[in-house]
Amino acid sequence: MLRFSGGSSAVVLVALAVLAVLATGCGGGADTAGEKAPTGDSAKAGGASSSGKPAAAGTVDFDTVFTTEERFKRALPDPASMAGWTPKRAGADIEETPKPAAECGADTHWDCTSVADGDANFEEVGERALFDLVAYADKKAAQDACRKEKDWSAKYSKADVPPVPGVESHAYYRNAGGLDGLDLTMCLGTVIAQVRLEGGGSTLDPATAHSLAQVFVPRIQKAAAS
């Protein structure tokens, strides 16, 4: 079962089949994959602003603020776009009263000022792929959080994941809770998007992280333009 929670305390249970419907009904069908995830031209640069117009200079950029469950559903990978992977869970949490930057301060966690977040998790032969999307009230807040996250992650070993065109990104290997993982963080528009590989059967292959990012980024762009 998949959980999508909104701005109140209510919890909405969504069957896995709903995401399959969203793949066609919400523009996700064009992102279907082969084994694990597609590569190639699926993640060409050229973002969308809140008006739906392409961003300048091939940069993935937009002013859209992600504060609805529907927008997260469109942005997060679904079973149709992750052929070969088994969906485990997905959800979104919209903050009723986001914290202002002044209240968060300079030393707090990088997601302190976020207005919403969502995630979708998949498994394939002992390997887990986790997609996280953290939304902010505007691009400046997102950029500030991106800088803070990059400074925070500098203590970890760098992973050589090829960049997605037009997207600022960095990747690193991380051990958390006794579980090794590879984290790819991408900063675009008003959000921070992360792809994580982990699991006992995972090789933590940078190429896999890159191909998954090429599934994720176009979906975020479409959700921002919708």
Side-chain angles (χ1 to χ4, degrees):
M1 299 295 288
L2 304 180
R3 175 188 63 81
F4 277 94
S5 58
S8 66
S9 59
V11 175
V12 182
L13 294 180
V14 183
L16 292 178
V18 173
L19 283 183
V21 172
L22 287 172
T24 55
C26 297
D31 299 322
T32 51
E35 286 296 320
K36 287 197 175 180
T39 58
D41 297 332
S42 62
K44 287 185 177 178
S49 67
S50 56
S51 64
K53 295 179 181 179
T59 300
V60 179
D61 191 22
F62 49 82
D63 295 308
T64 306
V65 180
F66 283 62
T67 54
T68 65
E69 292 175 359
E70 184 61 29
R71 206 174 292 278
F72 274 93
K73 288 177 184 178
R74 295 186 181 207
L76 293 167
D78 59 7
S81 62
M82 290 288 290
W85 294 79
T86 301
K88 303 303 293 184
R89 68 170 301 278
D93 186 13
I94 313 300
E95 295 288 345
E96 291 185 357
T97 55
K99 292 183 180 179
E103 184 178 337
C104 285
D107 298 327
T108 51
H109 195 264
W110 55 268
D111 66 355
C112 181
T113 58
S114 65
V115 297
D117 64 84
D119 64 89
N121 301 340
F122 297 82
E123 288 187 358
E124 193 266 347
V125 193
E127 183 171 45
R128 285 187 289 276
L130 299 84
F131 299 87
D132 292 316
L133 189 65
V134 184
Y136 295 86
D138 52 44
K139 288 191 287 189
K140 181 183 182 305
Q143 290 165 358
D144 290 344
C146 280
R147 285 191 291 269
K148 184 175 287 189
E149 194 280 337
K150 188 172 184 179
D151 290 342
W152 172 84
S153 65
K155 59 187 174 183
Y156 296 106
S157 299
K158 180 181 178 181
D160 293 323
V161 177
V164 175
V167 177
E168 178 186 348
S169 66
H170 58 278
Y172 52 92
Y173 295 102
R174 181 185 177 195
N175 180 280
L179 191 64
D180 292 329
L182 186 160
D183 285 19
L184 169 62
T185 300
M186 298 172 287
C187 305
L188 53 159
T190 60
V191 303
I192 297 178
Q194 293 185 305
V195 174
R196 173 180 293 177
L197 295 177
E198 62 180 31
S202 177
T203 59
L204 304 183
D205 184 8
T208 300
H210 182 248
S211 67
L212 293 174
Q214 292 185 93
V215 172
F216 201 6
V217 169
R219 293 183 65 87
I220 296 171
Q221 290 178 270
K222 290 178 182 179
S226 63

